[in-house]
């Protein structure tokens, strides 16, 4: 009668043998000593059977800006690494308590480097950026 440990060891050795054989099969299909393709001139580069092509994109011009002064600087420093100015300035109206909860979520969940001492001023700034005519969020 064989022990469970012996059966586990045999199963592990079999799995290792199968993985080794599969790995050797895959390696044999790729020729690691093949010379890379010539580097293409211009917007692409090729090597080892892979071609990388450069692409350029035209980003739209910024259409919104934050107000000058401490409030704008505070929001720029704490929010614009992840959020566009347009996104920040077009949010629905939120009560200060909801902005506070959002700031805390950004800090705890998304690891935003917002100093807790900036919360009051940051929430006040976000409330001041709310546009008239936007529907209040519930």
């Amino acid at each position: 009668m064989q022990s469970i440990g012996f059966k586990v060891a045999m199963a592990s050795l079999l799995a290792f043998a199968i993985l080794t054989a599969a790995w050797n099969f895959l390696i044999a299909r790729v020729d690691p000593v093949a010379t890379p393709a010539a580097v293409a001139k211009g917007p692409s580069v090729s090597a080892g059977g892979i071609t990388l092509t450069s692409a350029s994109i035209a980003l739209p011009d910024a259409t919104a800006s934050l107000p000058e002064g401490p409030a704008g600087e505070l929001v720029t420093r704490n929010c614009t690494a992840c959020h566009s100015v347009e996104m920040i300035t077009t949010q629905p109206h939120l009560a200060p308590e909801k902005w506070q909860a959002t700031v805390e979520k950004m800090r705890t969940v998304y690891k935003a480097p917002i100093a807790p001492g900036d919360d009051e001023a940051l929430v006040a700034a976000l409330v001041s950026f709310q546009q008239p005519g936007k529907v209040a969020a519930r």
Side-chain angles (χ1 to χ4, degrees):
M1 185 164 204
Q2 297 175 345
S3 70
I4 293 177
F6 179 77
K7 290 179 183 179
V8 169
M10 291 283 89
S12 298
L13 284 173
L14 179 61
F16 180 74
I18 292 170
L19 289 172
T20 302
W23 178 258
N24 286 329
F25 174 75
L26 290 173
I27 293 297
R29 296 189 59 164
V30 176
D31 186 3
V33 293
T35 55
V39 175
K41 294 180 182 175
S44 65
V45 91
S46 297
I50 298 173
T51 301
L52 300 175
T53 304
S54 295
S56 63
I57 58 171
L59 296 174
D61 293 330
T63 58
S65 61
L66 294 171
E68 298 281 330
E73 291 172 17
L74 184 64
V75 171
T76 298
R77 184 173 63 246
N78 288 291
C79 305
T80 59
C82 299
H83 304 293
S84 69
V85 172
E86 289 84 359
M87 189 261 189
I88 296 167
T89 58
T90 59
Q91 292 301 301
H93 285 227
L94 295 177
E97 299 80 29
K98 290 211 179 201
W99 277 119
Q100 180 63 44
T102 301
V103 169
E104 289 172 9
K105 177 178 71 173
M106 293 299 140
R107 181 185 303 111
T108 57
V109 176
Y110 300 108
K111 307 302 181 211
I114 302 169
D118 287 343
D119 283 10
E120 187 177 333
L122 186 56
V123 167
L126 291 166
V127 168
S128 74
F129 296 161
Q130 297 179 137
Q131 296 178 351
K134 280 278 193 182
V135 177
R138 296 186 193 264

